[in-house]
Amino acid sequence: HNARRDWPEAIHHYRKALSLNPALVPVWVQLGHGYRELGDMAAAEEAYQQALQLDPGNDDALFFLGVTLNKKGEVNDAFNALLQAFEHNPSGPASRELAALTGMNTDFPAFFEAVEAFFDSAYYLKTNSDLRKVAMDPKIHYMIYGWKEGRS
């Protein structure tokens, strides 16, 4: 049903499989895909989260959770999920998504490596006092917005 893109039917079968064995991580991921294809981002997020409860390092679930959260406008959480996927699999698709999210469309791994080596959160907040009230990790803020805004 997945190959035919009959998502309601596929979801029905995924749910049936999970009722028999709720520990099937790949089925939770596929269920998330089905819901995402139908535009039900909350249900997709829930399915990916369930996969991650069973297998916290599953880079597919992390990647698609990040894509889903980004689509929902939850950029900070999306970045965190994508970054975890990237850390588990640096050559996987999360690198491409992170490059797009940060605007570093050429080489996200090199950008990330440089930020990891040289970024100082305390200094960034000290020199950008307006960010103290923002509920976002300073390093993530810099990678998504700060470098484009010329912040240091």
Side-chain angles (χ1 to χ4, degrees), residues 14-30:
Y14 296 146
R15 287 244 167 247
K16 188 173 181 180
L18 290 167
S19 73
L20 298 171
N21 184 353
L24 295 171
V25 173
V27 178
W28 281 109
V29 173
Q30 289 300 315

Side-chain angles (χ1 to χ4, degrees), residues 41-107:
M41 297 304 149
E45 178 183 354
E46 188 177 311
Y48 297 133
Q49 291 286 12
Q50 186 62 42
L52 290 167
Q53 282 183 1
L54 296 166
D55 181 6
N58 186 294
D59 59 313
D60 276 344
L62 286 164
F63 171 74
F64 286 106
L65 175 62
V67 169
T68 301
L69 292 169
N70 193 35
K71 196 164 250 191
K72 288 175 66 181
E74 298 175 20
V75 177
N76 194 31
D77 291 336
F79 190 91
N80 283 325
L82 290 166
L83 191 56
Q84 287 178 56
F86 171 77
E87 289 170 341
H88 285 281
N89 183 6
S91 61
S95 180
R96 181 189 69 241
E97 287 294 316
L98 287 163
L101 198 55
T102 60
M104 275 292 165
N105 291 320
T106 53
D107 191 1

Side-chain angles (χ1 to χ4, degrees), residues 70-142:
N70 193 35
K71 196 164 250 191
K72 288 175 66 181
E74 298 175 20
V75 177
N76 194 31
D77 291 336
F79 190 91
N80 283 325
L82 290 166
L83 191 56
Q84 287 178 56
F86 171 77
E87 289 170 341
H88 285 281
N89 183 6
S91 61
S95 180
R96 181 189 69 241
E97 287 294 316
L98 287 163
L101 198 55
T102 60
M104 275 292 165
N105 291 320
T106 53
D107 191 1
F108 177 78
F111 174 64
F112 179 70
E113 186 177 313
V115 171
E116 282 290 294
F118 300 110
F119 188 81
D120 181 338
S121 291
Y123 176 80
Y124 190 68
L125 289 175
K126 182 179 176 186
T127 59
N128 298 284
S129 60
D130 59 313
L131 298 179
R132 292 184 197 138
K133 297 175 187 163
V134 175
M136 182 179 260
D137 179 282
K139 188 185 306 181
I140 292 172
H141 183 277
Y142 177 77

Side-chain angles (χ1 to χ4, degrees), residues 1-14 29-39:
H1 301 285
N2 185 338
R4 292 192 327 240
R5 305 187 72 73
D6 183 353
W7 296 113
E9 188 68 16
I11 287 169
H12 169 76
H13 288 288
Y14 296 146
V29 173
Q30 289 300 315
L31 180 64
H33 295 345
Y35 282 125
R36 197 168 47 82
E37 289 293 330
L38 290 178

